[in-house]
Amino acid sequence: DAGVTQSPTHLIKTRGQQVTLRCSPKSGHDTVSWYQQALGQGPQFIFQYYEEEERQRGNFPDRFSGHQFPNYSSELNVNALLLGDSALYLCASSRGQPHSPLHFGNGTRLTVT
Amino acid sequence: GNSVTQMEGPVTLSEEAFLTINCTYTATGYPSLFWYVQYPGEGLQLLLKATKADDKGSNKGFEATYRKETTSFHLEKGSVQVSDSAVYFCALSDTADSSYKLIFGSGTRLLVRP
């Protein structure tokens, strides 16, 4: 039973560029959440997708956008990258109910230079 | 607003020592509480959870009791192993606003020496 898979594992981008991160949820899960984890900090909620719609959003600028596909996989897009966007980006999947336990992928390490 | 506060690390223990990692929370409603663990190079894994006051979550020898009167959810283990070395995150999910997000503490690194 495959868990949550994320790609790529590492990425280096230049300030001002755009990046797309990808996530495939655990089998049987229909909800995908994205979190940003800065070095030495806890994960911060970016947004959650359910039924191909953004259901909830955290305090992140519009440069952060996402998408969910009919097979429940998801993408996170970040435009106009800033140095401060350097972080580990975690995808988590769950079933659709509130407070359903999250299953996390291993993350994508993004470095902006 | 909702928040989670954890004790700062690193916490360094010898194998078979008793572990306590403190966690307190602020929430507007009646949150569910979680402990997640992150091993080096990996994502977070759910360790245990409690959904209402006085519930005790337990898994792999770890325990935590939901204390509403002290707004705490401290993580304990009676005898730690080297393999328990990781970063531990306390988190909450608040029911008050039908929120789907988890709010995490800043994490506590545990180092267990042989």
Side-chain angles (χ1 to χ4, degrees), chain A residues 25-51:
Chain A
K26 179 180 169 66
S27 177
H29 286 182
D30 56 7
T31 302
V32 173
S33 302
W34 287 92
Y35 287 79
Q36 180 195 66
Q37 186 180 14
L39 199 62
Q41 299 297 315
Q44 299 289 317
F45 177 76
I46 303 174
F47 41 54
Q48 184 182 85
Y49 277 84
Y50 174 68
E51 293 187 341

Side-chain angles (χ1 to χ4, degrees), chain B residues 8-95:
Chain B
E8 289 194 17
V11 173
T12 303
L13 297 173
S14 297
E15 204 165 23
E16 299 184 3
F18 184 85
L19 168 71
T20 299
I21 299 177
N22 290 338
C23 170
T24 57
Y25 67 89
T26 302
T28 52
Y30 302 95
S32 294
L33 301 173
F34 305 84
W35 277 100
Y36 280 81
V37 58
Q38 187 174 35
Y39 297 102
E42 298 184 10
L44 281 70
Q45 300 175 24
L46 177 64
L47 183 59
L48 55 83
K49 67 175 183 177
T51 57
K52 62 183 187 295
D54 299 325
D55 268 2
K56 178 185 283 188
S58 62
N59 186 26
K60 299 181 182 178
F62 291 89
E63 292 183 342
T65 301
Y66 188 142
R67 301 286 188 199
K68 188 169 182 291
E69 64 276 13
T70 54
T71 62
S72 66
F73 192 54
H74 304 321
L75 183 67
E76 297 182 335
K77 187 176 185 183
S79 176
V80 293
Q81 305 300 312
V82 172
S83 58
D84 294 327
S85 297
V87 181
Y88 291 81
F89 292 93
C90 185
L92 73 80
S93 176
D94 198 346
T95 61

